[in-house]
Amino acid sequence: MGMIGGSLDAFIGAVHRRGAALDGEIELVCGAFSSNPEKSKATGEALYLPANRVYDSYEEMILKEKELPEGERMDFVSIVTPNHVHFPAAKFAIENGFHVVMDKPLTLTMEEAKELTEIVKNSGLLFALTHNYTAYPMVKEARQLIKSGAIGQIRKVIVEYPQGWLSQLVEASGQKQASWRTDPARSGAAGGVGDIGTHAENLAEYITGLQITELSADLTIFVEGRMLDDDANILLHFDNGAKGILHNSQICNGEENDLNIRVYGEFGGLKWRQMDPNTLIMTNQENGSKIIRTGVGNLSPHAQAHTRQPAGHPEGYIETFASIYRNFTYALRARWGAESKSGTGGGLGKGTGVEGYDPDIYDFPSIEDGLRGMAFIQTVVKSANSAERWTKFEI
């Protein structure tokens, strides 16, 4: 793996590195960790990388790595920059033949998202987006229960993502994470909606298997002096007729990271909270609630494949990134194995795939998920600025 972004003073880069390393499938071999060459060099030294594999720019890294022999050069690149760098970095990597794992949201604008989607599809290369919350074992279990019809036709979806870290104008103090996330030039058309609202949207669609068809959004900037939304309240319509509510906020003073979802169907409901990730609650009007726990009982193969710890040991945030990276590498190894068997190349020194690999079990968010996330941002902003009651979700 090579990495673009993720210097020592960044937040998400270290999370990606820890997640990628957890299963022993991936080695970080190179990086362009900052637009500042000195920062990139210092990060490379701290990560014990050889000096000749630490680059001043992502363009230099991609072109020089491309010249190295197979087996020595990076196999894929992880992009963990602020949003405005996502498109140019991913485009350059893909056009030079490298698979990509990237942090969300997909791009800065909807136009970039559409172009990148076409580039990825035409390249035939693998692309993963780290909507990491979909990788919790109990999220996988909830998705499979809904697929099996356990709660019947879905009627109501409530998904919430409250945080409190932007309750004050911390970006004015130079706080790095707040500074770029509240800057339209680096974050895009939305603030909190792009940062955490897209996680809520993705989780709702992933668990239910439904898609949003239209919405009605109310965006607010509560903190004076801020340029982008810090609070959102959104009504949703889904493609099966279900109704939904999505609330995301970064000014809920005292809240940490309480992403949670409730799904109600004709026969029962499901509840899950990211701050209690090992617990899934199934509700039923006649029989009461049933607690389902990670690692206990007859869970689906999808939940079992994403369970690392014995029962009673919380599956954590880093593990969700690890699962996406592991699943991505399984898909990559399966491709190498197929290429090796067919004699089309690409499998040199890289094994013959993964025994028992099932892409439905070892799934990961795709470029299409990223495109829907950008469409969600676009539709929410359009709705908030419109006098119309409902705004169609269009890509």
Side-chain angles (χ1 to χ4, degrees), residues 70-182:
E70 187 175 8
E72 184 178 341
R73 66 172 175 251
M74 67 178 181
D75 294 307
F76 74 94
V77 63
S78 172
I79 301 173
V80 293
T81 65
N83 303 348
H84 70 292
V85 184
H86 285 187
F87 173 74
K91 181 176 185 287
F92 198 72
I94 293 161
E95 289 178 343
N96 282 279
F98 290 104
H99 308 278
V100 171
V101 176
M102 191 160 71
D103 204 54
K104 44 56 57 192
L106 187 61
T107 52
L108 189 70
T109 68
M110 188 62 183
E111 290 72 25
E112 289 180 347
K114 289 179 179 179
E115 184 177 346
L116 186 60
T117 300
E118 288 304 308
I119 290 170
V120 171
K121 288 181 177 178
N122 292 334
S123 73
L125 296 171
L126 295 182
F127 182 97
L129 197 70
T130 53
H131 274 301
N132 61 295
Y133 300 109
T134 62
Y136 276 107
M138 289 297 95
V139 168
K140 301 290 187 186
E141 185 70 9
R143 176 177 165 89
Q144 294 309 309
L145 285 168
I146 288 172
K147 273 188 173 183
S148 74
I151 65 170
Q153 175 89 348
I154 295 172
R155 294 170 171 170
K156 183 88 171 181
V157 181
I158 303 168
V159 59
E160 303 172 306
Y161 201 152
Q163 295 177 335
W165 72 289
L166 291 179
S167 296
Q168 308 300 323
L169 195 68
V170 293
E171 58 266 39
S173 68
Q175 209 266 25
K176 181 177 178 179
Q177 299 304 317
S179 295
W180 77 259
R181 283 177 166 83
T182 58

Side-chain angles (χ1 to χ4, degrees), residues 223-379:
V223 177
E224 187 176 351
R226 182 160 290 154
M227 292 185 285
L228 292 172
D229 57 280
D230 49 27
D231 185 81
N233 299 280
I234 306 166
L235 298 177
L236 307 171
H237 286 170
F238 291 91
D239 55 3
N240 76 328
K243 305 295 177 70
I245 301 169
L246 188 154
H247 140 66
N248 70 262
S249 181
Q250 294 178 311
I251 51 85
C252 290
N253 208 308
E255 290 287 356
E256 298 173 33
N257 204 64
D258 194 14
L259 173 62
N260 66 87
I261 187 167
R262 287 163 278 167
V263 181
Y264 299 103
E266 56 187 323
F267 305 138
L270 292 168
K271 299 179 182 180
W272 179 81
R273 290 184 63 200
Q274 196 267 158
M275 290 179 66
D276 184 16
N278 278 32
T279 300
L280 176 67
I281 298 175
M282 179 179 284
T283 62
N284 180 273
Q285 199 68 28
E286 287 73 38
N287 301 319
S289 297
K290 173 185 176 183
I291 295 175
I292 304 169
R293 293 280 291 169
T294 300
V296 179
N298 187 26
L299 300 178
S300 68
H302 301 73
Q304 293 177 35
H306 293 82
T307 301
R308 288 179 169 78
Q309 311 300 338
H313 297 75
E315 295 286 339
Y317 181 68
I318 297 296
E319 283 92 331
T320 64
F321 281 88
S323 288
I324 289 175
Y325 273 98
R326 180 201 62 185
N327 295 357
F328 179 82
T329 62
Y330 282 3
L332 196 49
R333 289 188 185 280
R335 170 172 296 202
W336 289 336
E339 290 172 347
S340 180
K341 289 177 182 177
S342 67
T344 57
L348 181 64
K350 295 175 180 176
T352 57
V354 180
E355 185 177 352
Y357 171 67
D358 182 342
D360 183 59
I361 291 177
Y362 297 102
D363 65 330
F364 51 84
S366 66
I367 190 78
E368 287 81 8
D369 294 302
L371 184 61
R372 287 196 64 80
M374 290 304 299
F376 175 71
I377 294 170
Q378 175 181 263
T379 309

